[in-house]
Amino acid sequence: VDLVLIHDPDDHWRQAVDEAYPALHELRSQGVVGAIGAGMNQWRMLERFATETDVDAVMLAGRYTLLEQSAADTMLPTCLRQNVAVLAAGVFNGGVLATDELDPGAMFDYAPASPQLRAKVARIAEVVHRHGASLPQVAMAFAAAHPAIASVVVGARSEAEVRRNAALFERPVPSAVWEELVAAGLLRPDVRPGA
């Protein structure tokens, strides 16, 4: 097994650290498991894993995206310092950034996106399209640009989505996209790729 993650131990920190982590640590030391870590859709506990254990990687879902960068302030820098690879998952925030045509029923973090959030996504898409790029392309590229991010993990429902995501991931995003998103107040200046 290449990588084993403790999944969503939100309310079970002691059990995860005192039971699951030592078992995985032992399997890694035996060579049964290549790497160990934790995965969840909040960053605080992942930051604790990075500082209080010897994990190799963490999977961060939805907390470093075009719409939310809450992990940028302390968690991602901590992972860089601790040499903990970050797998960025949920970069489409549950679907609202997954397509160029904004669906009225678009989801954000497992719930229908609010009208305000849909309006923000529409403004982001307008900037992205003006530069000949695609919203999911920019969403994946944004996460991938951070030096702590080792890989971007995206879900797909079909072979066509897998192929589309792979093709979009390979396309470079014009730097003007990031500059305009920052100038429009749609992206924090300190997380702009290339900054």
Side-chain angles (χ1 to χ4, degrees):
V1 176
D2 292 328
L3 172 65
V4 176
L5 299 172
I6 300 169
H7 188 269
D8 284 333
D10 292 317
D11 298 325
H12 306 284
W13 171 255
R14 287 278 35 113
Q15 186 176 17
V17 172
D18 294 343
E19 296 175 30
Y21 168 74
L24 292 177
H25 190 277
E26 179 62 26
L27 290 171
R28 183 180 62 186
S29 70
Q30 295 171 5
V32 175
V33 172
I36 59 174
M40 58 188 60
N41 62 6
Q42 55 105 333
W43 60 266
R44 287 172 183 84
M45 193 176 289
L46 292 178
E47 185 172 357
R48 287 186 71 187
F49 270 103
T51 57
E52 298 178 33
T53 71
D54 184 28
V55 293
D56 302 293
V58 293
M59 181 176 282
L60 175 68
R63 304 290 72 91
Y64 191 71
T65 71
L66 286 174
L67 297 174
E68 185 186 325
Q69 298 95 44
S70 61
D73 296 326
T74 63
M75 184 252 179
L76 293 177
T78 296
C79 287
L80 271 175
R81 277 192 311 278
Q82 298 295 117
N83 199 30
V84 173
V86 179
L87 310 174
V91 298
F92 299 146
N93 276 120
V96 73
L97 298 172
T99 63
D100 283 304
E101 307 303 321
L102 187 58
D103 182 338
M107 302 294 282
F108 175 79
D109 286 351
Y110 311 108
S114 69
Q116 297 85 356
L117 188 68
R118 287 196 314 273
K120 181 176 181 177
V121 171
R123 290 176 57 215
I124 293 171
E126 185 179 305
V127 170
V128 165
H129 297 154
R130 188 170 26 258
H131 295 280
S134 162
L135 190 56
Q137 169 197 6
V138 171
M140 289 185 286
F142 171 75
H146 194 285
I149 306 293
S151 185
V152 174
V153 180
V154 294
R157 292 179 294 209
S158 67
E159 177 185 348
E161 286 185 4
V162 170
R163 291 184 185 282
R164 179 207 72 158
N165 290 339
L168 289 175
F169 190 77
E170 294 299 318
R171 288 178 43 199
V173 173
S175 61
V177 168
W178 311 121
E179 293 163 13
E180 191 172 337
L181 288 173
V182 168
L186 296 168
L187 186 63
R188 289 172 37 178
D190 63 317
V191 298
R192 177 179 60 86

